[in-house]
Amino acid sequence: MTQACVLIDYQNLHHYLKHQIDDGSPADICTDLLSALRDHLSGARITIGRAYADFSGLDDHTRHVKRSLYLYGIEPVYVPATMHRNTSDLQLAVDAITIREKRPEIDTFVLLTGDRDYVPVVQALIGAGKRVICVGFREHLSPFVVRHTGNGEYIDAATLLPEATLAPQAPVGEPVVTTQFSEPAEIETDEAFKALELTLLHFGQYDEVYLTPLLRRLSEELPQDSDPKALVAELEEAGAVKLERRRGMPYDYTVLLINAEHPEVNEAREELVAPDVDGDSDDGLPFDAADDSEDDLDFSYDDEEVTN
């Protein structure tokens, strides 16, 4: 009988399901997934099963989660999350390679996750001649994982769950949740108004502005001690902009929309198109028309200075 190793990024799976279900708990949904997955692997014997998470930080009761995993032969592996990131994926990757080397009799690896793919791990396992089954939610997995785990080696986790378990998903490019502009209010700081001007200057021609390149541009052009995210939040609170989450492939993304009816947005637009001149000219040029009269300009050559 084939021997299998099941490795679960439970931290990622839990947080993914938390934002995708209307009723029930992520722990209960995970139990349904494990039950369906065990049925799918009925031709293999699971000799190693591990689930990685900072269980103390999950919403569900830790004892309940661990008990559910134990019932399915899955060992909970505590991986503390740091302030900056979750490290369960790193521990899973290290264990996958270690098991590949130390347990050569295991020829099937099952990776269960939510919206994170494991391309380097999949490559390493396939390169060693192992069968890899990836279980995840298809819209979030990279094309590589789907392509290289074909012929039944990829399982869309949504197909293992009872119908209507997950909340309906918006089409790609559509808002995950439609938001409204806040009531127009005065932008409190000059720095936030400057951030608005820079946004209009570099991205004002677009209906929607991708948030990541906008923040990068603000970081480059504002003073070093500025906080672009805080400035965008201030603009949003004043009703000058709003942020919306969009469905993407493989990951969702955030866009910024500008409120064209906000008084200070219009003021910033007018300042950008106004001529930047010191003179009294009405034509937008930094000099008087009299200064360039033909009488004052001499474009002729002295014939004696021209040589053949």
Side-chain angles (χ1 to χ4, degrees):
M1 178 179 287
T2 299
Q3 295 190 41
C5 170
V6 177
L7 303 177
I8 305 170
D9 186 346
Y10 193 89
Q11 184 89 21
N12 176 259
L13 182 61
H14 178 278
H15 285 291
Y16 176 83
L17 291 173
K18 179 181 175 182
H19 294 93
Q20 299 296 325
I21 58 177
D22 292 326
D23 298 312
S25 71
D28 293 335
I29 305 301
C30 288
T31 299
D32 292 338
L33 273 175
L34 290 174
S35 177
L37 181 60
R38 188 171 62 177
D39 292 341
H40 185 85
L41 297 173
S42 58
R45 181 164 62 93
I46 300 176
T47 54
I48 296 179
R50 296 176 184 173
Y52 304 84
D54 184 350
F55 291 97
S56 62
L58 301 182
D59 296 337
D60 293 319
H61 196 283
T62 302
R63 182 180 300 175
H64 169 63
V65 171
K66 289 185 175 181
R67 182 176 183 276
S68 297
L69 292 171
Y70 271 124
L71 290 176
Y72 285 93
I74 304 297
E75 174 192 358
V77 178
Y78 175 72
V79 183
T82 68
M83 181 181 297
H84 301 288
R85 61 159 296 165
N86 157 45
T87 56
S88 61
D89 57 336
L90 297 178
Q91 188 61 56
L92 185 154
V94 170
D95 283 2
I97 302 305
T98 301
I99 293 169
R100 182 197 68 179
E101 298 299 323
K102 293 186 175 182
R103 299 289 300 274
E105 72 277 12
I106 296 178
D107 55 8
T108 299
F109 284 78
V110 181
L111 307 180
L112 172 57
T113 182
D115 61 358
R116 178 178 292 135
D117 55 46
Y118 284 85
V119 173
V121 179
V122 172
Q123 288 176 320
L125 294 174
I126 291 177
K130 303 298 183 181
R131 177 191 180 199
V132 180
I133 300 176
C134 288
V135 185
F137 294 90
R138 187 181 184 91
E139 68 269 20
H140 290 287
L141 292 187
S142 74
F144 174 88
V145 170
V146 176
R147 184 171 65 252
H148 286 76
T149 54
N151 300 321
E153 307 294 78
Y154 165 77
I155 303 174
D156 186 349
T159 64
L160 299 177
L161 296 173
E163 190 174 351
T165 298
L166 303 180
Q169 299 295 302
V172 172
E174 292 297 317
V176 175
V177 178
T178 302
T179 60
Q180 302 295 327
F181 289 110
S182 300
E183 285 295 322
E186 182 179 355
I187 298 174
E188 295 183 356
T189 65
D190 292 339
E191 193 174 25
F193 187 81
K194 179 63 176 178
L196 176 61
E197 287 185 317
L198 290 172
T199 301
L200 292 171
L201 175 64
H202 296 292
F203 304 96
Q205 69 271 34
Y206 302 112
D207 294 331
E208 298 180 349
V209 181
Y210 289 103
L211 185 60
T212 299
L214 169 62
L215 294 176
R216 186 181 302 116
R217 173 68 72 170
L218 294 179
S219 297
E220 293 171 351
E221 301 205 15
L222 289 171
Q224 190 171 4
D225 59 350
S226 298
D227 184 349
K229 289 184 178 180
L231 296 175
V232 170
E234 182 179 338
L235 293 175
E236 187 174 24
E237 186 176 353
V241 303
K242 69 174 181 177
L243 299 178
E244 281 192 354
R245 195 77 174 165
R246 292 280 190 269
R247 288 281 295 164
M249 179 68 74
Y251 302 109
D252 294 348
Y253 58 94
T254 302
V255 297
L256 178 142
L257 295 89
I258 300 172
N259 185 0
E261 299 181 0
H262 194 285
E264 290 186 87
V265 170
N266 292 324
E267 178 185 341
R269 289 188 190 277
E270 291 172 0
E271 290 189 8
L272 289 174
V273 300
D276 184 16
V277 297
D278 296 326
D280 297 325
S281 172
D282 292 330
D283 58 5
L285 299 176
F287 44 78
D288 292 333
D291 293 339
D292 64 348
S293 63
E294 293 184 2
D295 294 339
D296 296 330
L297 300 176
D298 183 6
F299 293 108
S300 62
Y301 290 99
D302 188 336
D303 292 339
E304 295 180 357
E305 296 179 358
V306 178
T307 59
N308 293 326

